[in-house]
Amino acid sequence: RDKMQYNAGVLERKYPSVEEAAQIGINATPALWNKSSVHDDFLDVRLGTGDIPSFNEIETPKEQIMAEHDPLNNKTEEIKLAMSTLKDVPVSISLYDNRFAGIVSSDREKALNIARTMSVQIASAHPYTDVRMCVVFPMKERDHWNYMRYLPHVWTPDGKLRLMCCDKNSVGDVMYFMSEMIRGRLEKVKEAANGDKDKKVLPHYIFVIADSSLLAEEAIAKYILNPTPDMGISVIMLADSADKL
């Protein structure tokens, strides 16, 4: 049980709640931007809390075939079962290993809250030199995304363009930049056929797509719907049903 409590504590420290993540950024604590591209948990993001398999392997003695049954063995199996799960601990997803993640809910407010939770953690834990975000959202939800305007992660590396768009004009400018960036990266991969395939492509761009209809006529859609490691991007898409992803 001590190990289970220890592991639960490790997860809580590793994946703070959205409120804690926000305070890390506001107060600029030492935990700010503590996940860089060299870390194993790069782009690991907390989704919420739940039950996950325990990290500890619990072994119980096996009864000998000819030995008399020991009633205590029933108890050990109960203990093993009870300790096989960590309950109510942070549950995370790797946006590096999972390049396309869908947030599907008919309750728009819940979907927005999950996306907000993920974006705040990304900005709090990762330096903008390693991770940047591009957000596409409907004009009517502008207030929901206004907080991201103040993050350094939503600017292009040269600081000339904010990667946030909610209408056709801003989508055109932002997606032109993003398309050129992705095409440039893919061309470099072709030129360096024998390059280090495990080397991370940086900065890694996270697309948060809260309104996919704005991208319907954009050439970049083919990249967003099928992101590959060579592009150095991940996508979080919101939808009210799975068939709209």
Side-chain angles (χ1 to χ4, degrees), residues 4 7 11 50-56 83-87 89:
M4 293 183 71
N7 287 335
L11 289 172
D51 299 345
I52 63 172
S54 174
F55 303 140
N56 301 314
M83 299 187 69
S84 64
T85 302
L86 292 173
K87 297 182 179 297
V89 295

Side-chain angles (χ1 to χ4, degrees), residues 128 132 151-152 154-163 177 205:
Y128 61 89
R132 293 182 186 267
L151 300 176
V154 299
W155 288 90
T156 53
D158 61 9
K160 293 181 178 180
L161 180 65
R162 183 185 277 129
L163 302 175
F177 168 83
Y205 285 86

Side-chain angles (χ1 to χ4, degrees), residues 2-241:
D2 288 343
K3 282 188 176 181
M4 293 183 71
Q5 291 175 344
Y6 172 79
N7 287 335
V10 168
L11 289 172
E12 289 288 351
R13 291 188 294 275
K14 189 175 182 180
Y15 304 112
S17 67
V18 65
E19 293 82 9
E20 292 168 331
Q23 287 303 312
I24 287 171
I26 292 170
N27 299 320
T29 73
L32 182 66
W33 300 343
N34 65 353
K35 289 183 183 179
S36 73
S37 59
V38 300
H39 292 108
D40 292 337
D41 58 354
F42 179 63
L43 289 177
D44 280 8
V45 178
R46 172 172 169 161
L47 296 175
T49 57
D51 299 345
I52 63 172
S54 174
F55 303 140
N56 301 314
E57 191 171 330
I58 303 169
E59 295 184 358
T60 55
K62 294 182 179 179
E63 290 186 344
Q64 299 297 321
I65 295 176
M66 302 301 292
E68 183 177 350
H69 172 66
D70 186 347
L72 288 177
N73 284 345
N74 294 336
K75 195 67 176 177
T76 58
E77 285 298 328
E78 291 177 14
I79 295 173
K80 179 180 179 179
L81 184 62
M83 299 187 69
S84 64
T85 302
L86 292 173
K87 297 182 179 297
D88 196 28
V89 295
V91 176
S92 65
I93 183 175
S94 169
L95 292 176
Y96 190 79
D97 295 334
N98 301 280
R99 296 300 174 109
F100 190 100
I103 301 175
V104 180
S105 176
S106 57
D107 187 326
R108 185 65 176 181
E109 195 62 36
K110 287 183 178 179
L112 288 170
N113 284 338
I114 293 173
R116 189 179 301 115
T117 294
M118 297 174 76
S119 60
V120 168
Q121 289 181 79
I122 291 168
S124 171
H126 302 85
Y128 61 89
T129 50
D130 285 354
V131 179
R132 293 182 186 267
M133 288 184 278
C134 175
V135 192
V136 182
F137 54 92
M139 179 71 76
K140 64 183 180 181
E141 291 177 356
R142 191 169 184 171
D143 290 346
H144 286 278
W145 299 99
N146 195 49
Y147 70 95
M148 294 192 70
R149 292 172 55 84
Y150 306 100
L151 300 176
H153 302 73
V154 299
W155 288 90
T156 53
D158 61 9
K160 293 181 178 180
L161 180 65
R162 183 185 277 129
L163 302 175
M164 297 181 69
C165 41
C166 58
D167 56 41
K168 284 296 180 182
N169 290 333
S170 57
V171 164
D173 293 339
V174 170
M175 292 308 145
Y176 177 78
F177 168 83
M178 297 302 294
S179 295
E180 289 297 297
M181 178 274 297
I182 292 173
R183 276 196 286 266
R185 289 179 171 184
L186 294 177
E187 284 299 320
K188 283 185 179 180
V189 170
K190 288 181 181 179
E191 294 170 3
N194 297 320
D196 185 359
K197 293 187 179 298
D198 294 327
K199 186 177 180 181
K200 291 184 173 70
V201 181
L202 299 174
H204 192 100
Y205 285 86
I206 306 287
F207 285 84
V208 182
I209 312 297
D211 186 356
S212 59
S213 68
L214 287 171
L215 303 179
E217 299 176 6
E218 297 293 329
I220 199 173
K222 64 181 180 181
Y223 299 132
I224 289 176
L225 294 175
N226 188 31
T228 64
D230 294 336
M231 298 178 195
I233 69 172
S234 296
V235 179
I236 302 169
M237 186 173 290
L238 284 67
D240 56 13
S241 63

